[in-house]
Amino acid sequence: MFKIEEIIFKTKNLVFNDSIHFPNINIPKNKVTFIVGKSGAGKTTLLKMFNGTLTQSNGDIFYNNTNILDIETIKLRKEVLLISQTVFLFDGTIRDNFKEFYSYRQEKALENSKIKLFLDICHLDFSLEKNCNEMSGGEKQRLYIAIYLSFKPKVIMLDEPTSALDEENSHEIIKNILSFSKENGITVIIVSHDKKLSEVFADNTVLIE
Amino acid sequence: MEGAIQLNIVQFSLVYLLLIIVVAIMKKSNIKKTKLLIVSSIRMSVQLTLAGLILTYILNNPNPVFTLAYLLVMLVFSIYYVLSKNKDINNRFKMTIAMSLLLTCSFMIIFFVMVIVGIDIFNPQYSIPLAGMIIGNSMTGITLAIKVFKENISSEKVKIESLLNLGASPDKILMPYVNNSLETALLPTINSMVGMGIVFLPGMMTGQILSGTLPLTSIMYQVAIMIAICASVCLAIFFSLYFGYKTLYNKRNQITYS
């Protein structure tokens, strides 16, 4: 039996800042969508409009068939989590960082065993007492992804997730993130320059020019 | 006790010679602020002379209208000064700062003159110099607080954006910056109280003693004005930042940095 794909994000005549025009886009639910295109085409801008940190100047975005402008943005951002390209971590240990981020969401901190699970997904074999200032750029990016992933949102948007990683590492980690997402019914949207990555992992590709 | 000895104008002008020493040291240390020093010294002399002349007139011809006008000019100037140092913030933020400075200082002046000293608010001999101390310190405090606040949020954009993406509320994200700026801007006022009486005798007290007031009376005035200044600085900064930071985000919880 053939089942029609459910659409989680849909855009119509979308324009940002009166200058960047987007094609009409459909993002299927529970699938992996890659957004590709030249730099400056507006890929990051699109993700920021999807989580309501930017507002379009024209056109509509629908999230689960509701106009995004009618959704309370804090609730939206918790469901549609954007992991940005620039990494921010607090001073302190891995455990401190989990604690801080959870307190900003006004949620109870994760148990150690659960933190370990997310570190494993991102190939971080460290004690929770490891000081983040002693970590490399790639390790910091992986920790950042691990923390955000641990909130188990409905949609996860990764902006150039592999920018600081080597090829082998990045494929392994993306594979782990995608299988975690599949198990938990998380829709994944990835912006990436890495052609190989999208060839291997994309269920769906959106080209923005 | 008698009033202070009147300064002879020739002897008085000798004090300007001290500036030559400052200029010489600046030249030696490659500090290119000679022009600023000269301009500031001249401005100070001219402004104070004018203030002296106006005050002499007002004191000799006491009239509530004059006192009120003088107080208003001081308040308007202080608002202008703070806003001119912070041109890049949004208009609602500017309005918040102006109102905070105006209301806090007005309240503190009225309270101090009418309750602590216990005389008519329109008495120029009391309300004008006391208002000057309260307004001047509040002005400096707010300027510092807003500067620290702006610098901190714009240098931590990556953090703020990460937390917004996480779904944290702008209130929760910005409040630590509000608290931190208040603390930083309050410290000079609090620290200045610590050394008082041991390291130095504060200006107001020195002035009163020079003009023949009993030291005990001068001390009471000094303690009272210091506490009033501290409260005024604290309240003015608190209101400016507490209501001001709310102008930095919109209904969609998007933060702008000015």
Side-chain angles (χ1 to χ4, degrees):
Chain A
M1 210 175 90
F2 185 73
K3 199 179 156 208
I4 297 169
E5 270 183 337
E6 261 191 276
I7 301 297
I8 195 159
F9 270 112
K10 192 185 174 88
T11 74
K12 232 175 123 185
N13 305 326
L14 196 61
V15 183
F16 180 74
N17 207 10
D18 297 323
S19 56
I20 309 177
H21 294 257
F22 292 89
N24 291 343
I25 298 164
N26 288 323
I27 310 258
K29 202 174 203 165
N30 299 334
K31 291 280 163 65
V32 181
T33 300
F34 271 74
I35 296 177
V36 293
K38 277 179 283 182
S39 54
K43 302 186 294 290
T44 302
T45 305
L46 183 68
L47 299 188
K48 288 183 172 176
M49 289 192 286
F50 279 172
N51 84 344
T53 48
L54 288 178
T55 304
Q56 70 269 27
S57 51
N58 251 311
D60 294 302
I61 302 170
F62 297 94
Y63 170 64
N64 283 327
N65 295 321
T66 309
N67 191 319
I68 212 167
L69 297 178
D70 298 329
I71 306 173
E72 208 280 308
T73 49
I74 301 286
K75 188 175 162 271
L76 177 70
R77 286 172 204 163
K78 286 181 179 175
E79 279 186 22
V80 181
L81 200 58
L82 170 60
I83 304 180
S84 61
Q85 193 178 354
T86 37
V87 172
F88 168 77
L89 293 172
F90 293 93
D91 289 333
T93 64
I94 292 179
R95 197 208 312 272
D96 293 337
N97 265 281
F98 271 89
K99 234 167 110 184
E100 284 279 2
F101 278 103
Y102 273 73
S103 100
Y104 269 99
R105 281 263 292 230
Q106 289 167 303
E107 287 176 31
K108 242 182 80 195
L110 273 192
E111 298 153 30
N112 291 349
S113 58
K114 291 214 171 121
I115 294 179
K116 270 283 182 201
L117 181 85
F118 289 100
L119 295 184
D120 285 344
I121 291 177
C122 295
H123 282 199
L124 288 163
D125 188 19
F126 289 128
S127 120
L128 299 191
E129 301 308 323
K130 170 87 177 172
N131 191 324
C132 298
N133 291 331
E134 295 162 5
M135 292 163 67
S136 72
E139 288 164 347
K140 282 181 184 165
Q141 190 180 27
R142 271 139 62 195
L143 174 59
Y144 187 63
I145 294 174
I147 294 170
Y148 276 59
L149 200 61
S150 74
F151 285 105
K152 292 191 188 168
K154 295 201 172 137
V155 180
I156 200 142
M157 304 193 289
L158 293 149
D159 192 359
E160 297 290 353
T162 56
S163 55
L165 311 176
D166 57 81
E167 196 178 305
E168 200 180 323
N169 232 335
S170 68
H171 280 226
E172 275 300 305
I173 290 160
I174 296 294
K175 203 168 131 194
N176 288 349
I177 295 173
L178 296 185
S179 68
F180 174 82
S181 301
K182 203 142 255 171
E183 283 163 30
N184 289 279
I186 299 172
T187 305
V188 182
I189 304 173
I190 300 178
V191 162
S192 182
H193 280 109
D194 189 341
K195 279 224 173 78
K196 273 189 195 156
L197 206 66
S198 56
E199 275 165 17
V200 179
F201 296 111
D203 296 325
N204 177 39
T205 307
V206 173
L207 176 69
I208 296 180
E209 286 175 301
Chain B
M1 290 204 202
E2 305 163 20
I5 297 168
Q6 290 217 343
L7 296 186
N8 173 302
I9 190 74
V10 180
Q11 286 168 289
F12 167 75
S13 19
L14 293 178
V15 86
Y16 283 101
L17 292 177
L18 294 176
L19 286 179
I20 295 172
I21 302 174
V22 182
V23 170
I25 292 176
M26 280 176 141
K27 280 248 146 49
K28 174 115 184 78
S29 313
N30 241 333
I31 305 171
K32 294 183 180 66
K33 299 277 181 202
T34 319
K35 208 178 138 195
L36 182 71
L37 175 76
I38 305 292
V39 170
S40 307
S41 309
I42 295 173
R43 267 192 70 162
M44 172 187 74
S45 309
V46 173
Q47 283 165 198
L48 284 178
T49 309
L50 280 177
L53 291 173
I54 296 170
L55 276 177
T56 311
Y57 182 80
I58 295 178
L59 289 176
N60 290 334
N61 306 279
N63 183 332
V65 178
F66 291 155
T67 311
L68 198 63
Y70 201 106
L71 295 181
L72 275 178
V73 169
M74 284 200 279
L75 279 167
V76 169
F77 177 81
S78 69
I79 290 168
Y80 170 79
Y81 176 85
V82 175
L83 298 185
S84 70
K85 295 270 168 199
N86 293 289
K87 282 191 184 127
D88 51 344
I89 57 178
N90 70 65
N91 287 337
R92 276 164 64 218
F93 204 158
K94 284 183 184 163
M95 194 53 125
T96 309
I97 294 172
M99 289 309 286
S100 306
L101 196 57
L102 185 73
L103 295 177
T104 308
C105 291
S106 304
F107 165 77
M108 204 55 72
I109 295 162
I110 293 171
F111 175 74
F112 201 90
V113 174
M114 298 186 75
V115 180
I116 306 289
V117 184
I119 52 157
D120 183 8
I121 185 70
F122 296 116
N123 184 324
Q125 190 192 344
Y126 287 84
S127 55
I128 292 175
L130 292 170
M133 296 183 75
I134 289 168
I135 296 170
N137 283 284
S138 305
M139 175 180 94
T140 319
I142 291 188
T143 309
L144 178 59
I146 303 290
K147 181 174 181 278
V148 171
F149 181 71
K150 272 194 324 197
E151 280 175 2
N152 286 352
I153 58 169
S154 49
S155 70
E156 295 198 358
K157 275 186 190 169
V158 173
K159 174 181 177 180
I160 292 172
E161 263 150 41
S162 280
L163 293 172
L164 273 181
N165 289 337
L166 191 76
S169 71
D171 279 317
K172 194 146 173 55
I173 297 172
L174 293 174
M175 230 20 224
Y177 298 99
V178 170
N179 296 337
N180 179 267
S181 316
L182 175 62
E183 185 185 332
T184 308
L186 258 187
L187 273 180
T189 308
I190 295 173
N191 282 337
S192 75
M193 291 203 261
V194 177
M196 250 174 219
I198 305 172
V199 186
F200 64 98
L201 297 178
M204 182 194 194
M205 186 175 145
T206 311
Q208 283 184 310
I209 292 175
L210 282 175
S211 68
T213 308
L214 288 172
L216 196 61
T217 309
S218 320
I219 285 164
M220 285 170 75
Y221 268 97
Q222 188 65 49
V223 170
I225 194 73
M226 278 314 296
I227 293 171
I229 284 172
C230 183
S232 181
V233 170
C234 181
L235 280 175
I237 297 173
F238 179 76
F239 288 136
S240 296
L241 286 177
Y242 193 80
F243 294 108
Y245 89 90
K246 289 178 193 286
T247 68
L248 295 183
Y249 60 90
N250 59 18
K251 280 200 188 104
R252 297 199 78 209
N253 295 305
Q254 296 160 342
I255 293 181
T256 51
Y257 295 89
S258 56

